[in-house]
Amino acid sequence: MDYARMLREDARLRLLQALEAQPDGRLNDAMLRLVLASAAIDRGRDWVVQELRWLEMMGAIRLIAAGEVLVAELTERGARHLSRAEPIEGVRRAPRPEA
């Protein structure tokens, strides 16, 4: 597996995890970019939006446009990936919960 693919798969997992951590399961694209930057995935807005659109195509999130801002919302399918019940190809597998 090449580095670019591993980076994308890891970023997608981190995006889903960030959404899951929110009480309403939502964050805007600027906040999600900061989440990735804190994990040393420092990419531009276009890259982050491209990954969000990919996650939306896979049914893991829903995107809502609010002017220039995109708000991402975790879907049931995204939550199932995080719980390891239904893996999504192209998203790094979520770690097992601590026993």
Coordinates of all heavy atoms in Angstrom, one line a residue:
M1 N 0.9 -1.2 0.0 CA 0.0 0.0 0.0 C 0.9 1.2 0.0 O 1.9 1.3 0.7 CB -0.9 0.0 1.2 CG -1.8 1.2 1.3 SD -2.9 1.2 2.8 CE -3.7 -0.3 2.7
D2 N 0.5 2.2 -0.8 CA 1.4 3.4 -0.8 C 1.0 4.4 0.2 O -0.1 4.4 0.8 CB 1.3 4.0 -2.2 CG -0.1 4.6 -2.6 OD1 -0.5 5.5 -1.9 OD2 -0.7 4.0 -3.5
Y3 N 1.9 5.4 0.5 CA 1.7 6.3 1.5 C 0.5 7.2 1.3 O -0.3 7.5 2.3 CB 3.0 7.2 1.6 CG 2.8 8.3 2.6 CD1 2.9 8.1 4.0 CD2 2.6 9.6 2.2 CE1 2.7 9.1 4.9 CE2 2.4 10.7 3.2 CZ 2.5 10.4 4.5 OH 2.3 11.4 5.4
A4 N 0.2 7.7 0.1 CA -0.9 8.6 -0.1 C -2.2 7.8 0.2 O -3.1 8.5 0.8 CB -0.9 9.0 -1.6
R5 N -2.3 6.6 -0.1 CA -3.5 5.8 0.2 C -3.7 5.6 1.7 O -4.8 5.8 2.2 CB -3.5 4.5 -0.5 CG -4.7 3.6 -0.3 CD -4.7 2.4 -1.1 NE -5.8 1.5 -0.7 CZ -6.0 0.3 -1.1 NH1 -5.1 -0.3 -1.9 NH2 -7.0 -0.4 -0.6
M6 N -2.6 5.3 2.4 CA -2.7 5.1 3.8 C -3.1 6.4 4.5 O -3.9 6.4 5.4 CB -1.3 4.6 4.4 CG -1.0 3.2 4.0 SD 0.5 2.5 4.7 CE 1.4 3.8 5.2
L7 N -2.5 7.5 4.0 CA -2.9 8.9 4.6 C -4.4 9.2 4.4 O -5.0 9.6 5.3 CB -2.0 9.9 3.9 CG -2.3 11.4 4.4 CD1 -1.7 11.5 5.8 CD2 -1.7 12.4 3.4
R8 N -4.9 8.9 3.2 CA -6.3 9.2 3.0 C -7.2 8.3 3.9 O -8.2 8.7 4.4 CB -6.7 8.9 1.5 CG -6.2 10.0 0.6 CD -6.7 9.8 -0.8 NE -6.1 10.8 -1.7 CZ -6.6 12.0 -1.9 NH1 -7.6 12.4 -1.2 NH2 -6.0 12.8 -2.7
E9 N -6.9 7.0 4.0 CA -7.7 6.1 4.8 C -7.6 6.5 6.2 O -8.6 6.4 6.9 CB -7.2 4.7 4.6 CG -7.5 4.1 3.2 CD -7.1 2.7 3.0 OE1 -6.5 2.1 3.9 OE2 -7.4 2.2 1.9
D10 N -6.5 6.9 6.7 CA -6.3 7.4 8.1 C -7.1 8.7 8.3 O -7.9 8.8 9.3 CB -4.9 7.6 8.5 CG -4.7 7.9 9.9 OD1 -5.2 7.2 10.8 OD2 -4.1 9.0 10.2
A11 N -7.0 9.6 7.4 CA -7.7 10.9 7.5 C -9.2 10.6 7.5 O -10.0 11.3 8.3 CB -7.4 11.8 6.3
R12 N -9.7 9.7 6.7 CA -11.2 9.4 6.7 C -11.6 8.9 8.0 O -12.7 9.3 8.5 CB -11.5 8.5 5.5 CG -11.3 9.1 4.1 CD -11.2 8.0 3.1 NE -11.0 8.7 1.8 CZ -10.6 8.0 0.7 NH1 -10.5 6.6 0.8 NH2 -10.4 8.6 -0.4
L13 N -10.8 8.0 8.6 CA -11.2 7.5 9.9 C -11.2 8.6 10.9 O -12.2 8.7 11.7 CB -10.2 6.4 10.3 CG -10.4 5.9 11.8 CD1 -11.8 5.2 11.9 CD2 -9.3 4.9 12.2
R14 N -10.2 9.5 10.9 CA -10.2 10.6 11.9 C -11.3 11.5 11.7 O -11.9 12.1 12.7 CB -8.8 11.3 11.8 CG -7.7 10.4 12.3 CD -6.3 11.1 12.1 NE -5.3 10.2 12.5 CZ -4.8 10.0 13.7 NH1 -5.3 10.7 14.7 NH2 -3.8 9.2 13.9
L15 N -11.8 11.8 10.5 CA -12.9 12.6 10.2 C -14.2 12.0 10.9 O -14.9 12.7 11.6 CB -13.1 12.8 8.7 CG -12.1 13.7 8.1 CD1 -12.2 13.6 6.5 CD2 -12.1 15.1 8.5
L16 N -14.4 10.7 10.7 CA -15.5 10.0 11.3 C -15.5 10.1 12.8 O -16.5 10.3 13.5 CB -15.6 8.6 10.8 CG -15.9 8.4 9.3 CD1 -16.0 6.9 8.9 CD2 -17.2 9.1 8.9
Q17 N -14.3 9.8 13.3 CA -14.1 9.8 14.8 C -14.4 11.2 15.4 O -15.1 11.3 16.4 CB -12.7 9.4 15.2 CG -12.5 7.9 15.0 CD -11.0 7.5 15.2 OE1 -10.1 8.3 14.8 NE2 -10.8 6.3 15.7
A18 N -14.0 12.2 14.7 CA -14.3 13.6 15.2 C -15.8 13.9 15.2 O -16.3 14.5 16.1 CB -13.5 14.6 14.3
L19 N -16.5 13.4 14.2 CA -17.9 13.6 14.1 C -18.6 12.9 15.2 O -19.5 13.4 15.9 CB -18.5 13.2 12.8 CG -18.0 14.1 11.6 CD1 -18.5 13.5 10.3 CD2 -18.5 15.5 11.7
E20 N -18.2 11.6 15.5 CA -18.8 10.8 16.5 C -18.6 11.4 17.9 O -19.4 11.3 18.8 CB -18.1 9.4 16.5 CG -18.7 8.5 17.5 CD -18.0 7.1 17.6 OE1 -16.8 7.1 17.6 OE2 -18.7 6.1 17.5
A21 N -17.5 12.2 18.1 CA -17.2 12.8 19.4 C -18.1 14.0 19.7 O -18.1 14.4 20.8 CB -15.7 13.2 19.4
Q22 N -18.8 14.5 18.7 CA -19.7 15.6 18.9 C -21.1 15.2 19.4 O -21.6 14.2 18.9 CB -19.8 16.4 17.6 CG -18.5 16.9 17.1 CD -17.8 17.7 18.1 OE1 -18.3 18.7 18.7 NE2 -16.5 17.3 18.4
P23 N -21.7 15.9 20.3 CA -23.0 15.6 20.8 C -24.1 15.4 19.7 O -24.9 14.6 19.7 CB -23.4 16.7 21.7 CG -22.1 17.3 22.1 CD -21.2 17.1 21.0
D24 N -24.0 16.3 18.6 CA -24.9 16.2 17.5 C -24.4 15.5 16.3 O -25.0 15.4 15.2 CB -25.5 17.6 17.2 CG -24.4 18.5 16.6 OD1 -23.2 18.1 16.6 OD2 -24.8 19.6 16.2
G25 N -23.1 15.0 16.4 CA -22.5 14.3 15.3 C -22.2 15.2 14.1 O -22.0 14.7 13.0
R26 N -22.0 16.5 14.3 CA -21.7 17.4 13.2 C -20.5 18.3 13.5 O -20.3 18.7 14.7 CB -22.9 18.4 13.1 CG -24.1 17.7 12.6 CD -25.2 18.8 12.5 NE -26.5 18.1 12.2 CZ -27.6 18.8 11.9 NH1 -27.6 20.1 12.0 NH2 -28.7 18.2 11.6
L27 N -19.8 18.7 12.5 CA -18.7 19.7 12.5 C -18.6 20.3 11.1 O -18.9 19.6 10.1 CB -17.4 19.0 12.9 CG -17.1 18.7 14.3 CD1 -15.8 17.9 14.4 CD2 -17.0 20.0 15.1
N28 N -18.1 21.5 11.1 CA -17.9 22.1 9.8 C -16.6 21.8 9.2 O -15.7 21.3 9.9 CB -18.2 23.7 9.8 CG -17.2 24.4 10.6 OD1 -16.0 24.2 10.5 ND2 -17.6 25.3 11.5
D29 N -16.4 22.1 7.9 CA -15.1 21.7 7.3 C -13.9 22.4 7.9 O -12.8 21.8 7.9 CB -15.2 21.9 5.8 CG -15.4 23.3 5.4 OD1 -16.5 23.8 5.5 OD2 -14.4 24.0 4.9
A30 N -14.0 23.6 8.4 CA -12.9 24.3 9.0 C -12.4 23.6 10.3 O -11.2 23.4 10.5 CB -13.2 25.7 9.3
M31 N -13.4 23.2 11.1 CA -13.1 22.4 12.3 C -12.5 21.1 12.0 O -11.5 20.6 12.6 CB -14.3 22.3 13.2 CG -14.8 23.6 13.8 SD -13.6 24.5 14.7 CE -13.3 23.4 16.1
L32 N -13.0 20.4 11.0 CA -12.5 19.1 10.6 C -11.0 19.2 10.1 O -10.2 18.3 10.3 CB -13.4 18.4 9.6 CG -14.7 18.0 10.2 CD1 -15.7 17.6 9.1 CD2 -14.5 16.8 11.1
R33 N -10.8 20.3 9.4 CA -9.4 20.5 8.9 C -8.4 20.7 10.1 O -7.3 20.2 10.1 CB -9.4 21.8 8.0 CG -8.0 22.0 7.4 CD -8.1 23.1 6.3 NE -6.7 23.4 5.9 CZ -6.3 24.5 5.6 NH1 -7.1 25.6 5.6 NH2 -5.1 24.7 5.2
L34 N -8.9 21.4 11.1 CA -8.1 21.5 12.4 C -7.9 20.1 13.0 O -6.8 19.9 13.6 CB -8.7 22.5 13.3 CG -8.7 23.9 12.9 CD1 -9.5 24.8 13.9 CD2 -7.3 24.4 12.8
V35 N -8.9 19.3 13.0 CA -8.8 18.0 13.6 C -7.6 17.2 12.9 O -6.8 16.6 13.5 CB -10.1 17.2 13.5 CG1 -9.9 15.7 13.7 CG2 -11.1 17.8 14.5
L36 N -7.7 17.2 11.6 CA -6.6 16.5 10.8 C -5.3 17.1 11.0 O -4.3 16.4 11.2 CB -7.0 16.6 9.3 CG -8.2 15.8 8.9 CD1 -8.4 15.9 7.4 CD2 -8.1 14.3 9.3
A37 N -5.2 18.5 11.1 CA -3.9 19.1 11.3 C -3.3 18.7 12.7 O -2.1 18.5 12.8 CB -4.0 20.6 11.2
S38 N -4.1 18.5 13.7 CA -3.7 18.1 15.0 C -3.1 16.7 15.0 O -2.4 16.3 15.8 CB -4.8 18.2 16.0 OG -5.7 17.2 15.9
A39 N -3.4 15.9 13.9 CA -2.9 14.6 13.7 C -1.8 14.5 12.7 O -1.5 13.5 12.1 CB -4.1 13.6 13.3
A40 N -1.2 15.7 12.4 CA -0.1 15.9 11.5 C -0.6 15.6 10.0 O 0.2 15.2 9.2 CB 1.1 15.0 11.8
I41 N -1.9 15.7 9.7 CA -2.4 15.6 8.4 C -2.8 17.1 8.0 O -3.9 17.4 8.1 CB -3.6 14.6 8.3 CG1 -3.2 13.3 8.8 CG2 -4.1 14.6 6.8 CD1 -4.3 12.3 8.9
D42 N -1.8 17.8 7.6 CA -2.0 19.3 7.3 C -2.2 19.5 5.8 O -1.3 19.6 5.1 CB -0.8 20.0 7.8 CG -1.1 21.5 7.9 OD1 -2.2 21.9 7.7 OD2 -0.1 22.3 8.1
R43 N -3.5 19.4 5.4 CA -3.8 19.6 4.0 C -4.7 20.8 3.9 O -5.4 21.2 4.8 CB -4.6 18.3 3.5 CG -3.7 17.1 3.6 CD -2.6 17.2 2.5 NE -2.0 15.9 2.3 CZ -0.7 15.7 2.7 NH1 -0.1 16.5 3.4 NH2 -0.2 14.5 2.5
G44 N -4.8 21.3 2.6 CA -5.7 22.4 2.3 C -7.2 22.1 2.4 O -7.6 20.9 2.4
R45 N -8.0 23.1 2.3 CA -9.4 22.9 2.4 C -9.9 22.1 1.2 O -10.8 21.2 1.4 CB -10.1 24.3 2.4 CG -11.6 24.2 2.4 CD -12.3 25.5 2.5 NE -13.7 25.3 2.8 CZ -14.7 25.2 1.9 NH1 -14.4 25.1 0.6 NH2 -16.0 25.0 2.2
D46 N -9.4 22.3 0.0 CA -9.9 21.5 -1.1 C -9.7 20.0 -0.9 O -10.5 19.2 -1.2 CB -9.2 21.9 -2.4 CG -9.6 23.3 -2.9 OD1 -10.7 23.8 -2.4 OD2 -8.9 23.9 -3.7
W47 N -8.5 19.6 -0.3 CA -8.2 18.2 0.0 C -9.2 17.7 1.0 O -9.8 16.6 0.8 CB -6.8 18.1 0.5 CG -6.3 16.7 0.5 CD1 -5.7 16.0 -0.5 CD2 -6.4 15.8 1.7 NE1 -5.3 14.7 0.0 CE2 -5.8 14.6 1.3 CE3 -6.9 15.9 2.9 CZ2 -5.7 13.5 2.2 CZ3 -6.8 14.8 3.8 CH2 -6.2 13.6 3.4
V48 N -9.5 18.4 2.0 CA -10.4 18.0 3.1 C -11.8 17.8 2.5 O -12.5 16.8 2.8 CB -10.4 18.9 4.3 CG1 -11.4 18.5 5.3 CG2 -9.0 18.9 4.9
V49 N -12.2 18.8 1.7 CA -13.6 18.8 1.1 C -13.7 17.6 0.2 O -14.7 16.9 0.2 CB -13.9 20.1 0.4 CG1 -15.1 19.9 -0.5 CG2 -14.1 21.2 1.4
Q50 N -12.6 17.3 -0.6 CA -12.6 16.1 -1.4 C -12.9 14.8 -0.6 O -13.6 13.9 -1.0 CB -11.3 16.0 -2.2 CG -11.2 14.8 -3.1 CD -9.9 14.8 -3.8 OE1 -9.1 15.7 -3.8 NE2 -9.6 13.7 -4.5
E51 N -12.2 14.7 0.5 CA -12.4 13.5 1.4 C -13.8 13.5 2.0 O -14.4 12.4 2.1 CB -11.3 13.5 2.5 CG -9.9 13.3 1.9 CD -9.7 12.2 1.0 OE1 -10.2 11.0 1.3 OE2 -9.2 12.4 -0.2
L52 N -14.3 14.6 2.4 CA -15.7 14.7 2.9 C -16.7 14.2 1.8 O -17.6 13.5 2.1 CB -16.0 16.1 3.4 CG -15.2 16.5 4.6 CD1 -15.5 18.0 4.9 CD2 -15.6 15.7 5.8
R53 N -16.5 14.7 0.6 CA -17.4 14.3 -0.5 C -17.3 12.8 -0.8 O -18.3 12.1 -1.0 CB -17.1 15.1 -1.8 CG -17.4 16.6 -1.6 CD -17.8 17.3 -2.9 NE -18.0 18.7 -2.7 CZ -19.1 19.2 -2.2 NH1 -20.1 18.4 -1.8 NH2 -19.2 20.5 -2.1
W54 N -16.1 12.2 -0.7 CA -15.9 10.8 -0.8 C -16.6 10.0 0.3 O -17.4 9.1 0.0 CB -14.4 10.4 -0.8 CG -14.1 9.0 -1.1 CD1 -13.9 8.5 -2.3 CD2 -14.1 7.9 -0.2 NE1 -13.7 7.1 -2.2 CE2 -13.9 6.7 -0.9 CE3 -14.3 7.8 1.2 CZ2 -13.8 5.5 -0.3 CZ3 -14.2 6.6 1.8 CH2 -14.0 5.4 1.0
L55 N -16.5 10.5 1.5 CA -17.2 9.9 2.6 C -18.7 10.0 2.4 O -19.5 9.0 2.8 CB -16.8 10.5 4.0 CG -15.5 10.1 4.5 CD1 -15.0 11.0 5.6 CD2 -15.4 8.6 4.9
E56 N -19.2 11.1 1.9 CA -20.6 11.2 1.6 C -21.1 10.2 0.5 O -22.1 9.6 0.6 CB -20.9 12.6 1.1 CG -22.4 12.9 0.9 CD -22.7 14.3 0.4 OE1 -22.0 14.8 -0.4 OE2 -23.8 14.8 0.9
M57 N -20.2 10.0 -0.5 CA -20.6 9.1 -1.6 C -20.7 7.6 -1.0 O -21.5 6.8 -1.5 CB -19.5 9.1 -2.7 CG -19.7 10.2 -3.7 SD -18.6 10.1 -5.1 CE -17.4 8.8 -4.8
M58 N -19.9 7.4 0.0 CA -19.9 6.0 0.6 C -21.0 5.9 1.6 O -21.2 4.8 2.2 CB -18.6 5.8 1.4 CG -17.3 5.7 0.5 SD -17.4 4.3 -0.7 CE -17.8 5.2 -2.2
G59 N -21.7 7.0 1.9 CA -22.9 6.9 2.8 C -22.5 7.1 4.3 O -23.3 6.9 5.2
A60 N -21.2 7.4 4.6 CA -20.7 7.5 5.9 C -21.1 8.9 6.6 O -21.2 8.9 7.8 CB -19.2 7.3 6.0
I61 N -21.3 9.9 5.8 CA -21.7 11.2 6.3 C -22.7 11.8 5.4 O -22.9 11.4 4.2 CB -20.4 12.2 6.5 CG1 -19.8 12.5 5.1 CG2 -19.4 11.6 7.4 CD1 -18.8 13.6 5.1
R62 N -23.3 12.9 5.8 CA -24.2 13.7 5.1 C -23.5 15.1 5.1 O -23.1 15.5 6.1 CB -25.5 13.7 5.7 CG -26.7 14.2 4.9 CD -28.0 14.0 5.6 NE -28.1 13.4 7.0 CZ -28.2 12.1 7.3 NH1 -28.2 11.2 6.4 NH2 -28.3 11.7 8.5
L63 N -23.5 15.8 3.9 CA -23.0 17.1 3.9 C -24.1 18.1 3.7 O -25.0 17.9 2.8 CB -22.0 17.3 2.7 CG -20.6 16.5 2.9 CD1 -19.8 16.7 1.7 CD2 -19.9 17.1 4.1
I64 N -24.0 19.2 4.4 CA -25.0 20.3 4.3 C -24.2 21.6 4.0 O -23.3 21.9 4.8 CB -25.8 20.4 5.7 CG1 -26.5 19.1 6.0 CG2 -26.8 21.6 5.6 CD1 -26.3 18.7 7.4
A65 N -24.6 22.2 2.9 CA -23.9 23.5 2.6 C -24.6 24.6 3.4 O -25.8 24.8 3.4 CB -24.0 23.8 1.1
A66 N -23.8 25.4 4.0 CA -24.2 26.6 4.7 C -23.4 27.8 4.2 O -22.4 28.2 4.7 CB -24.1 26.5 6.2
G67 N -23.8 28.3 3.0 CA -23.1 29.3 2.4 C -21.8 28.7 1.8 O -21.8 27.7 1.1
E68 N -20.6 29.3 2.2 CA -19.3 28.7 1.7 C -18.9 27.6 2.6 O -17.9 26.9 2.3 CB -18.3 29.8 1.8 CG -18.5 31.0 0.8 CD -18.4 30.5 -0.6 OE1 -17.4 29.8 -0.9 OE2 -19.2 30.9 -1.5
V69 N -19.5 27.3 3.7 CA -19.1 26.3 4.7 C -19.9 25.0 4.4 O -21.1 25.0 4.1 CB -19.4 26.8 6.1 CG1 -19.1 25.8 7.2 CG2 -18.6 28.1 6.4
L70 N -19.2 23.9 4.6 CA -19.8 22.6 4.6 C -19.9 22.1 6.0 O -18.9 22.1 6.7 CB -19.0 21.6 3.7 CG -19.2 21.7 2.2 CD1 -18.2 20.7 1.5 CD2 -20.6 21.5 1.8
V71 N -21.1 21.6 6.3 CA -21.2 20.9 7.6 C -21.4 19.4 7.4 O -22.2 19.0 6.5 CB -22.5 21.5 8.4 CG1 -22.7 20.7 9.7 CG2 -22.3 23.0 8.6
A72 N -20.6 18.6 8.0 CA -20.6 17.2 7.9 C -21.4 16.6 9.1 O -21.2 17.0 10.2 CB -19.2 16.6 7.8
E73 N -22.2 15.6 8.8 CA -23.0 14.9 9.8 C -22.8 13.4 9.7 O -22.9 12.9 8.6 CB -24.4 15.3 9.7 CG -25.3 14.6 10.7 CD -26.8 15.0 10.6 OE1 -27.2 15.2 9.4 OE2 -27.5 15.1 11.6
L74 N -22.4 12.8 10.8 CA -22.2 11.3 10.8 C -23.5 10.6 10.5 O -24.6 11.0 11.1 CB -21.7 10.9 12.1 CG -21.2 9.5 12.3 CD1 -20.0 9.1 11.4 CD2 -20.9 9.1 13.7
T75 N -23.5 9.6 9.7 CA -24.7 8.8 9.4 C -24.6 7.5 10.1 O -23.6 7.2 10.7 CB -24.8 8.5 7.9 OG1 -23.7 7.7 7.5 CG2 -24.9 9.8 7.0
E76 N -25.7 6.7 10.1 CA -25.7 5.4 10.7 C -24.6 4.5 10.1 O -23.9 3.8 10.8 CB -27.1 4.8 10.5 CG -27.2 3.4 11.2 CD -27.0 3.4 12.7 OE1 -27.4 4.4 13.4 OE2 -26.5 2.5 13.2
R77 N -24.4 4.6 8.8 CA -23.4 3.8 8.2 C -22.0 4.2 8.7 O -21.1 3.3 8.9 CB -23.4 3.9 6.7 CG -22.3 3.0 6.0 CD -22.6 2.6 4.6 NE -21.7 1.5 4.2 CZ -20.9 1.6 3.2 NH1 -21.0 2.6 2.3 NH2 -20.1 0.6 2.9
G78 N -21.7 5.4 8.8 CA -20.5 5.9 9.4 C -20.3 5.4 10.8 O -19.2 5.0 11.2
A79 N -21.3 5.4 11.6 CA -21.3 4.9 13.0 C -21.0 3.4 13.0 O -20.3 3.0 13.9 CB -22.6 5.3 13.7
R80 N -21.6 2.7 12.1 CA -21.4 1.3 12.0 C -19.9 0.9 11.7 O -19.4 0.0 12.2 CB -22.4 0.6 11.0 CG -23.8 0.5 11.6 CD -24.7 -0.4 10.8 NE -24.7 -0.2 9.4 CZ -25.5 0.6 8.7 NH1 -26.4 1.2 9.3 NH2 -25.4 0.7 7.4
H81 N -19.3 1.8 10.8 CA -17.9 1.6 10.5 C -17.1 1.8 11.8 O -16.2 0.9 12.1 CB -17.4 2.5 9.5 CG -15.9 2.4 9.2 ND1 -15.4 1.5 8.4 CD2 -14.9 3.1 9.7 CE1 -14.1 1.6 8.4 NE2 -13.7 2.5 9.2
L82 N -17.4 2.8 12.6 CA -16.6 3.1 13.8 C -16.8 2.0 14.8 O -15.9 1.7 15.6 CB -17.0 4.4 14.3 CG -16.6 5.6 13.5 CD1 -17.2 6.9 14.0 CD2 -15.1 5.8 13.4
S83 N -18.0 1.4 14.9 CA -18.2 0.3 15.8 C -17.7 -1.1 15.3 O -17.9 -2.1 16.0 CB -19.7 0.2 16.1 OG -20.4 -0.3 15.0
R84 N -17.1 -1.0 14.1 CA -16.6 -2.2 13.4 C -17.7 -3.2 13.0 O -17.4 -4.3 12.6 CB -15.6 -2.9 14.4 CG -14.4 -2.0 14.7 CD -13.5 -2.7 15.7 NE -12.9 -3.9 15.2 CZ -11.7 -4.0 14.6 NH1 -10.9 -2.9 14.4 NH2 -11.2 -5.2 14.2
A85 N -18.9 -2.8 12.9 CA -20.0 -3.6 12.5 C -20.1 -3.7 11.0 O -20.5 -4.8 10.5 CB -21.3 -3.1 13.1
E86 N -19.7 -2.7 10.3 CA -19.8 -2.7 8.8 C -18.6 -1.8 8.2 O -18.8 -0.6 8.0 CB -21.1 -2.0 8.4 CG -21.3 -2.0 6.9 CD -22.6 -1.3 6.5 OE1 -23.5 -1.2 7.3 OE2 -22.6 -0.9 5.3
P87 N -17.5 -2.5 8.0 CA -16.4 -1.7 7.5 C -16.7 -1.1 6.1 O -17.4 -1.6 5.3 CB -15.3 -2.8 7.3 CG -15.7 -4.0 8.1 CD -17.2 -3.9 8.2
I88 N -16.1 0.1 5.9 CA -16.2 0.8 4.6 C -14.8 0.7 4.0 O -13.8 1.2 4.5 CB -16.6 2.2 4.8 CG1 -17.9 2.3 5.5 CG2 -16.6 3.0 3.5 CD1 -18.3 3.7 5.9
E89 N -14.7 0.1 2.8 CA -13.5 0.0 2.0 C -13.0 1.4 1.7 O -13.8 2.2 1.3 CB -13.7 -0.8 0.8 CG -12.5 -1.1 -0.1 CD -11.5 -2.1 0.6 OE1 -12.0 -3.0 1.3 OE2 -10.3 -1.9 0.4
G90 N -11.7 1.6 2.0 CA -11.1 2.9 1.8 C -11.1 3.8 3.0 O -10.6 4.9 2.9
V91 N -11.6 3.3 4.1 CA -11.5 4.0 5.4 C -10.7 3.0 6.4 O -11.1 1.9 6.5 CB -12.8 4.3 6.0 CG1 -12.7 5.0 7.4 CG2 -13.7 5.1 5.1
R92 N -9.7 3.6 7.0 CA -8.9 2.7 7.9 C -9.9 2.1 9.0 O -10.8 2.8 9.4 CB -7.8 3.5 8.7 CG -6.9 2.6 9.5 CD -5.7 3.4 10.0 NE -6.0 4.5 10.9 CZ -5.9 4.4 12.2 NH1 -5.5 3.3 12.8 NH2 -6.2 5.5 12.9
R93 N -9.6 0.9 9.3 CA -10.5 0.2 10.3 C -10.3 0.9 11.6 O -9.3 1.2 12.1 CB -10.1 -1.3 10.3 CG -11.1 -2.1 11.1 CD -10.9 -3.5 10.7 NE -12.0 -4.2 11.5 CZ -12.7 -5.2 11.0 NH1 -12.4 -5.6 9.8 NH2 -13.6 -5.8 11.7
A94 N -11.4 1.0 12.3 CA -11.4 1.6 13.7 C -10.8 0.6 14.6 O -10.9 -0.6 14.5 CB -12.9 1.9 14.1
P95 N -10.0 1.1 15.6 CA -9.4 0.2 16.6 C -10.5 -0.4 17.4 O -11.6 0.1 17.6 CB -8.6 1.2 17.4 CG -9.1 2.5 17.2 CD -9.7 2.5 15.9
R96 N -10.1 -1.6 17.9 CA -11.1 -2.3 18.8 C -11.3 -1.5 20.1 O -10.3 -0.9 20.6 CB -10.5 -3.7 19.2 CG -10.5 -4.6 18.0 CD -10.2 -6.0 18.5 NE -10.1 -6.9 17.4 CZ -11.1 -7.5 16.7 NH1 -12.3 -7.2 17.1 NH2 -10.9 -8.3 15.7
P97 N -12.5 -1.5 20.6 CA -12.7 -0.8 21.9 C -11.9 -1.5 23.0 O -11.6 -2.7 23.0 CB -14.2 -1.0 22.2 CG -14.8 -1.6 21.0 CD -13.7 -2.1 20.1
E98 N -11.5 -0.7 24.0 CA -10.7 -1.2 25.1 C -11.6 -2.2 25.9 O -12.7 -1.9 26.1 CB -10.2 0.0 26.0 CG -9.3 0.9 25.4 CD -8.0 0.3 25.0 OE1 -7.5 -0.6 25.7 OE2 -7.4 0.6 23.9
A99 N -11.0 -3.3 26.3 CA -11.7 -4.3 27.1 C -11.9 -3.9 28.5 O -11.2 -3.1 29.1 CB -11.0 -5.6 27.0

